[in-house]
C-alpha cells in the first residue's frame, strides 16, 4: 500500500512539475507546443517516459521538464533517491533513451558500471 501511495504521489508531482523551458513565450504557449509535439509524434507521452525511468532508477520523481535542445526534444527528470541523493536524468523524448545522468545513482558504482556495459552492448534504456 505504501509503495502504491508513494508511486501515485511521485506521478502527481511529476505531472505538476511539467514545464517547457526556455523560450519565454508564456505558459499557455508552452503547453500548446508540448501538445503539438506529442500529436506530431515528435515526443513520447510522459507516462511512457516515467515508466521507463522508474524501471531503471527507483525513487520519487520531483520535477519534469520538456525542453528543446540542439533541435531535439528532451525530458529532464529530477528524481529523489532513497538516502536523499538527487539524480538529473536527460531522456530523448522521441525514443525514450537515456542521454545522460547527473548525480549519484545508488552507491555510484553499480549503476555507472551497468550503464557502461549496456552502452557497449547497444542496449537502450
Amino acid at each position: 500500500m505504501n509503495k502504491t501511495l508513494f508511486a501515485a504521489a511521485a506521478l502527481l508531482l511529476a505531472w505538476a512539475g511539467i514545464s517547457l523551458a526556455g523560450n519565454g513565450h508564456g505558459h499557455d504557449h508552452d503547453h500548446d507546443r508540448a501538445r503539438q509535439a506529442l500529436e506530431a509524434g515528435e515526443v513520447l507521452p510522459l507516462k511512457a517516459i516515467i515508466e521507463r525511468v522508474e524501471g531503471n532508477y527507483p525513487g520519487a520523481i520531483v520535477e519534469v521538464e520538456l525542453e528543446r535542445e540542439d533541435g531535439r526534444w528532451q525530458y529532464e527528470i529530477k528524481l529523489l533517491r532513497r538516502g536523499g541523493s538527487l539524480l538529473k536524468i536527460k531522456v530523448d523524448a522521441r525514443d525514450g533513451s537515456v542521454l545522460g545522468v547527473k548525480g549519484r545513482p545508488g552507491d555510484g558504482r553499480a549503476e555507472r558500471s551497468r550503464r557502461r556495459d549496456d552502452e557497449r552492448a547497444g542496449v537502450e534504456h
Side-chain angles (χ1 to χ4, degrees), residues 108-122:
R109 293 186 315 261
E111 190 73 32
R112 282 191 294 269
S113 176
R114 187 187 87 196
R115 298 218 41 87
R116 272 191 239 111
D117 292 345
D118 286 352
E119 288 169 2
R120 284 187 207 120

Side-chain angles (χ1 to χ4, degrees), residues 45-94:
L46 180 59
K47 182 177 180 179
I49 298 295
I50 288 174
E51 288 171 356
R52 290 179 187 197
V53 167
E54 288 180 332
N56 291 311
Y57 303 94
I61 294 174
V62 295
E63 184 178 353
V64 177
E65 294 181 11
L66 179 61
E67 308 172 315
R68 186 125 176 133
E69 283 190 25
D70 300 324
R72 173 187 349 193
W73 286 105
Q74 297 176 15
Y75 284 104
E76 181 180 286
I77 299 170
K78 292 181 183 173
L79 186 131
L80 186 62
R81 302 290 299 251
R82 180 178 283 185
S85 63
L86 185 69
L87 291 182
K88 186 187 293 184
I89 306 165
K90 290 260 186 173
V91 179
D92 186 300
R94 180 181 289 271

